[in-house]
Amino acid sequence: MIDTTCRLGKLKIVFAVLLIGAAVSYVSFVLIRESLQDRQWRLSKSLLLRNDPVLTNVTFLQDLVKEIDDFNSPQPEISDKETAREDNEHFSVSDELVDARSYSHEYHNNLSRNLALAMQQRHSKIFQVLPSSGFDQSLKNPCWWKNEYLFHKVSESYYWEKFVKTWRSAGHSTEDIASTLLQKRRPVLYCLPYFFIIGLPKCGTTDLYMRLSKHPQIVPPLQKEPHWWDKRRVDHNVSFLDYLFLFSLPTKMIRAASLRGLQLVTFEASASTMLFPRRVASDAAHELIFSVLPQAKLIVILRNPVDRLYSDYLYFNCIQHNETDKCSAQQFHLLVVKATSRFVQCLSSRAIGFCVAGDKLGHPKLSSGLYYYHLLPWLRLFPLGEQLLVLCLESHSANLVESMRRTFKFLDLDSMTDEKMSEIAALPRANTVGNDFKAKVGPMLFETRELLTSFYQPHNRQLAKLLQDDDFLWKISVASPVTPLSQQVISNG
């Protein structure tokens, strides 16, 4: 009996020791994980500060770091948010800037390698297709060679049906299409985009895409907006090979041109790619693009967010869904009131990053106009001016020749004569679908414009400060011939 009692006592002691050991291990793991996450975030901020050539004013840098910290902090209660901001004041901006400069391009390359390693584990099927030794350095466009032809089942491709329909409408047979795409020689060349137009919807991306395609060195893809990096890959499980297939024809043209000593490039223009990631971190488009194509060039074109939202409503809510009879300026006003109210309510208990994601707000497209926050994740990886160009639609449209010349220079493409540039600028504006309907509905109400201008104004100031360009303040006088809302009968539709 005594022996049994002793054994039970010893077992209890052993169990207690194991339990304490497990608890200590778990606490240690949590502390180490938080330390690594904090270090990773500080290094990301260092990269942002180093990459942006206009971030030279220390006071401005300090303000920016505080904004980024607030943006990325967990969703605290209201009482904790003020404490979080006070803690940010103790962050040494000058030391962080020195560290960033000391890393220079070596740090950028290290980040690229480390991020690629992390992505290889999460997206192994993508990296199995990519070259292990890098892209062909003799080509301007990112391309590589394989002894294997990967498109044996192109008819099963997600994009195949739309592609075939387009070509058949031009009088081509299925045999002609297959013969055009097939590369009979081995090894086979595969190419990805040299640059991307990553945003934003209803900001003139289609028109910019059309004018860029007129440059003799640029070959457009089989589809303008594959949306693979943001939507299709996640929501529809579209494979990387399906995406790669879209560049099969540009690849043949790139290869043929290279034999004549010419350098061609291809691109794509999925307008919603830039929007703040609403997925888990492993699915973030900016990280995946950077890990696959760290030298990629990105173009963003932005429009007055007030006008962008109204255009978005008229097209996506009304024209695209064939519900034009239900749409009106009055209905848009009600949606805006509801959305802005919910956004303000969200900010009372959540960090702004959560509210910008906006999936559960009354009008999620409202947050698409908060450009400052959508740009930040990209600026941490792609240097502003060197790899990321931001255009203002209104300024771009006012001087198309100079804006297009600037864009071609950013892409490091051959310059064109004044005559050719004038021809590109004189092309009719693209994507004018629904203009008759828009004219019928009329402009937004005066009250709506005032409400949205007030909502977006502080965020536009942040954007203009970040880009050091007052064009992004959109200082346009609020004038409208529309009768005030108080004198109109609001439609129930």
Side-chain angles (χ1 to χ4, degrees):
M1 186 69 180
I2 295 176
D3 291 341
T4 303
T5 304
C6 291
R7 289 195 188 97
L8 288 174
K10 290 179 180 179
L11 286 174
K12 289 180 180 179
I13 294 172
V14 171
F15 179 78
V17 170
L18 290 174
L19 190 62
I20 293 171
V24 171
S25 299
Y26 177 77
V27 171
S28 301
F29 168 77
V30 171
L31 291 174
I32 292 172
R33 182 183 63 183
E34 290 178 352
S35 175
L36 289 174
Q37 288 175 343
D38 179 69
R39 174 175 171 77
Q40 183 183 24
W41 167 233
R42 285 175 176 269
L43 290 176
S44 298
K45 280 191 295 193
S46 300
L47 183 62
L48 169 61
L49 300 182
R50 181 193 65 76
N51 277 342
D52 194 337
V54 304
L55 303 184
T56 54
N57 182 279
V58 173
T59 304
F60 168 54
L61 284 172
Q62 190 169 12
D63 293 340
L64 177 61
V65 169
K66 292 176 187 175
E67 291 287 350
I68 298 171
D69 280 335
D70 290 341
F71 174 56
N72 289 276
S73 63
Q75 290 73 54
E77 298 298 329
I78 302 175
S79 58
D80 294 332
K81 292 178 72 175
E82 294 300 323
T83 304
R85 290 195 181 95
E86 292 175 2
D87 291 340
N88 289 333
E89 293 177 0
H90 300 290
F91 182 75
S92 177
V93 179
S94 57
D95 291 343
E96 195 71 26
L97 185 60
V98 171
D99 291 342
R101 287 175 173 171
S102 66
Y103 280 111
S104 188
H105 287 286
E106 180 182 354
Y107 174 66
H108 189 269
N109 293 335
N110 288 337
L111 180 65
S112 175
R113 284 192 294 268
N114 294 336
L115 190 55
L117 289 173
M119 287 293 173
Q120 284 177 24
Q121 296 177 355
R122 294 198 285 252
H123 303 283
S124 58
K125 290 185 178 179
I126 297 175
F127 287 88
Q128 286 172 1
V129 178
L130 294 172
S132 57
S133 56
F135 299 115
D136 187 337
Q137 295 301 307
S138 67
L139 298 174
K140 190 178 189 69
N141 198 90
C143 302
W144 70 101
W145 301 86
K146 265 186 173 299
N147 288 318
E148 178 185 2
Y149 185 72
L150 301 174
F151 303 135
H152 293 297
K153 298 181 179 180
V154 289
S155 60
E156 298 178 9
S157 169
Y158 178 86
Y159 303 101
W160 173 255
E161 184 176 351
K162 183 174 182 179
F163 165 67
V164 170
K165 182 179 179 180
T166 302
W167 272 50
R168 280 179 177 166
S169 65
H172 297 282
S173 67
T174 304
E175 291 74 18
D176 291 336
I177 299 171
S179 175
T180 301
L181 297 180
L182 182 63
Q183 294 187 43
K184 298 179 180 178
R185 296 180 181 179
R186 300 292 187 273
V188 180
L189 186 67
Y190 299 95
C191 296
L192 284 169
Y194 171 71
F195 70 96
F196 298 80
I197 299 176
I198 61 172
L200 277 174
K202 310 315 295 178
C203 287
T205 58
T206 301
D207 188 78
L208 180 61
Y209 171 90
M210 178 268 293
R211 297 181 198 280
L212 285 170
S213 299
K214 300 302 179 182
H215 192 285
Q217 282 183 276
I218 295 179
V219 185
L222 301 178
Q223 184 176 336
K224 173 196 171 239
E225 297 191 57
H227 288 291
W228 186 81
W229 300 92
D230 54 337
K231 298 178 183 177
R232 308 291 187 228
R233 174 177 56 88
V234 178
D235 295 337
H236 301 278
N237 199 29
V238 178
S239 73
F240 184 62
L241 285 182
D242 284 345
Y243 178 70
L244 196 59
F245 165 72
L246 289 176
F247 305 97
S248 51
L249 183 58
T251 297
K252 289 196 71 173
M253 298 178 69
I254 289 170
R255 180 175 186 175
S258 68
L259 297 176
R260 303 195 305 271
L262 303 175
Q263 294 286 355
L264 303 184
V265 298
T266 189
F267 74 115
E268 62 121 301
S270 301
S272 61
T273 305
M274 190 193 84
L275 292 178
F276 180 74
R278 294 172 179 159
R279 311 290 178 187
V280 295
S282 62
D283 290 320
H286 62 292
E287 291 185 344
L288 187 56
I289 290 178
F290 180 76
S291 63
V292 173
L293 298 164
Q295 303 304 320
K297 290 181 178 287
L298 311 176
I299 299 175
V300 176
I301 184 164
L302 303 176
R303 176 185 189 180
N304 184 335
V306 177
D307 297 321
R308 194 217 71 81
L309 186 62
Y310 192 46
S311 179
D312 189 288
Y313 162 76
L314 292 175
Y315 183 78
F316 290 106
N317 288 53
C318 309
I319 298 173
Q320 193 175 69
H321 293 286
N322 197 27
E323 296 183 354
T324 54
D325 57 324
K326 299 180 181 180
C327 296
S328 66
Q330 293 87 349
Q331 185 201 47
F332 177 70
H333 180 81
L334 294 178
L335 289 172
V336 167
V337 170
K338 180 180 179 181
T340 51
S341 298
R342 290 195 175 185
F343 192 90
V344 172
Q345 184 180 7
C346 178
L347 289 179
S348 68
S349 59
R350 298 282 190 172
I352 192 167
F354 178 89
C355 300
V356 168
D359 284 336
K360 298 185 182 301
L361 299 182
H363 197 305
K365 300 294 183 69
L366 177 78
S367 62
S368 296
L370 301 175
Y371 306 139
Y372 172 82
Y373 301 101
H374 296 300
L375 270 175
L376 284 180
W378 298 86
L379 286 174
R380 295 187 199 109
L381 300 175
F382 298 94
L384 181 64
E386 182 180 338
Q387 285 185 256
L388 198 155
L389 174 67
V390 184
L391 300 174
C392 174
L393 175 63
E394 290 79 5
S395 304
H396 168 78
S397 301
N399 196 342
L400 272 172
V401 171
E402 287 306 312
S403 185
M404 292 304 300
R405 197 186 301 278
R406 174 193 175 196
T407 305
F408 290 140
K409 183 178 180 181
F410 164 75
L411 295 173
D412 193 26
L413 300 177
D414 294 342
S415 58
M416 302 175 67
T417 64
D418 292 342
E419 182 182 0
K420 290 293 184 183
M421 292 300 301
S422 297
E423 289 178 5
I424 292 177
L427 292 170
R429 191 161 59 91
N431 197 14
T432 58
V433 177
N435 277 1
D436 293 340
F437 166 72
K438 295 175 183 177
K440 180 181 177 181
V441 174
M444 75 178 75
L445 302 178
F446 182 81
E447 285 88 343
T448 316
R449 180 170 289 278
E450 277 195 322
L451 175 60
L452 286 174
T453 299
S454 176
F455 174 82
Y456 284 122
Q457 193 173 40
H459 306 288
N460 292 342
R461 284 198 293 266
Q462 289 177 301
L463 178 69
K465 198 173 185 181
L466 175 67
L467 302 178
Q468 291 203 342
D469 188 342
D470 286 347
D471 285 350
F472 295 97
L473 291 171
W474 287 288
K475 295 178 180 178
I476 301 175
S477 60
V478 179
S480 173
V482 180
T483 307
L485 178 66
S486 57
Q487 301 176 24
Q488 297 194 27
V489 178
I490 299 176
S491 168
N492 291 329

